[in-house]
Amino acid sequence: MKRFLAGALAVLMLASLTACGGTDKETDSAPVGSSAAQSAPADSSAAQSAAADSSTAQSAAADPTAYTIDGAIPEAFVETDSGAEGTLLYAADDGSTISIGFFERPADADEPVDEEAMRSMFEQEYAAYAEQEGVEVVMDDFTFEEMTVGPCPAYRIHYSVTIAGARMTQDTMSVLADNQYIITCTTTEGDAWADTFDAMFSAIEAVPLEA
C-alpha cells in the first residue's frame, strides 16, 4: 500500500459535504475512603460501564479540527496527472479510480447530515445531467452510513448509476477533520473492488496535527 497523509495536501481545494460534531466530556470521582468508593468492587460491571462511558465521552470531546487523516492507496492503483484541480487521482488497469481531495472546512460543519437530503441531491444532479445530455440515467442501490474516524465525524455513501446503458458504482467517504476530506472510488466492474475499497476505508486513521 502507498501511504498518503492528507495534511500534506494543503494546496488542494474542493467543494464540501458536511457532517455533525461531538459532545462535551463530564467526569465524577468519589473521595478515597468515602462510602461510595468502598461500596462498589473495583471490577464491578458498574465500574466497567462508567469507564467505557468516560472513554467514549473523552473521544467525543476531542476537537476534530486538531486532526488530519492518514491512509493508504491499494497497490493496484497508480497516481495519474489527469485529476481535476484540487484532487489526487489514482487509476487501475481496468479504468477504476480513487480520488482524494479536501474542502476548506464549511461554516455549517456542525449541522447533521440528512440521508434523504443527500439522496435527493444526487438524484437531482443526475436528473439534470440526463436532461442536458438527452440520455437515460438510473440511480439505485443508494446506501448511507454515519461513522467516526477517531474523534472526527464521517459518513459513507455508496450507489450505482446506469447512464445510457453503462453501469458505474461509486463509494465515497467524507471525514470532517481540520478540513473536509473526500475519498471517492469509482468503478465499472461491479463489486470486483468492493473488498479492496472496504479495507482502504477501514484503515483510514485520524492523526493529531503537530503543535
Side-chain angles (χ1 to χ4, degrees), residues 137-161:
V137 177
V138 178
M139 191 183 81
D140 56 16
D141 295 337
F142 185 95
T143 62
F144 175 90
E145 179 185 2
E146 290 189 75
M147 61 188 70
T148 57
V149 176
C152 303
Y155 61 85
R156 187 171 169 183
I157 293 174
H158 175 95
Y159 68 91
S160 295
V161 61

Side-chain angles (χ1 to χ4, degrees), residues 32-200:
V32 176
S34 71
S35 58
Q38 295 171 351
S39 62
D43 61 350
S44 70
S45 59
Q48 293 173 345
S49 177
D53 290 344
S54 176
S55 176
T56 300
Q58 182 177 10
S59 177
D63 180 9
T65 65
Y67 291 79
T68 184
I69 63 169
D70 190 22
I73 300 297
E75 290 291 351
F77 288 79
V78 178
E79 186 173 356
T80 76
D81 58 3
S82 58
E85 182 178 358
T87 67
L88 293 179
L89 183 67
Y90 300 82
D93 290 341
D94 62 11
S96 299
T97 62
I98 299 172
S99 67
I100 304 173
F102 72 86
F103 304 97
E104 189 173 5
R105 192 177 172 86
D108 57 353
D110 292 332
E111 293 185 6
V113 179
D114 184 274
E115 177 177 357
E116 290 306 315
M118 294 294 291
R119 182 197 298 266
S120 178
M121 181 187 73
F122 278 89
E123 289 175 342
Q124 290 175 17
E125 289 182 352
Y126 279 116
Y129 176 83
E131 182 176 357
Q132 176 182 332
E133 299 297 325
V135 296
E136 182 180 13
V137 177
V138 178
M139 191 183 81
D140 56 16
D141 295 337
F142 185 95
T143 62
F144 175 90
E145 179 185 2
E146 290 189 75
M147 61 188 70
T148 57
V149 176
C152 303
Y155 61 85
R156 187 171 169 183
I157 293 174
H158 175 95
Y159 68 91
S160 295
V161 61
T162 302
I163 303 176
R167 190 169 178 80
M168 173 183 72
T169 299
Q170 284 203 322
D171 202 345
T172 296
M173 185 172 183
S174 170
V175 183
L176 187 67
D178 58 327
N179 290 285
Q180 182 80 24
Y181 296 98
I182 308 293
I183 303 167
T184 300
C185 305
T186 304
T187 183
T188 58
E189 301 302 312
D191 294 330
W193 291 102
D195 291 343
T196 299
F197 294 156
D198 282 343
M200 182 187 70

Side-chain angles (χ1 to χ4, degrees), residues 7-28:
L9 309 181
V11 297
L12 304 181
M13 298 299 291
L14 290 173
S16 77
L17 301 173
T18 60
C20 58
T23 58
D24 294 331
K25 172 187 174 185
E26 293 183 3
T27 57
D28 294 305

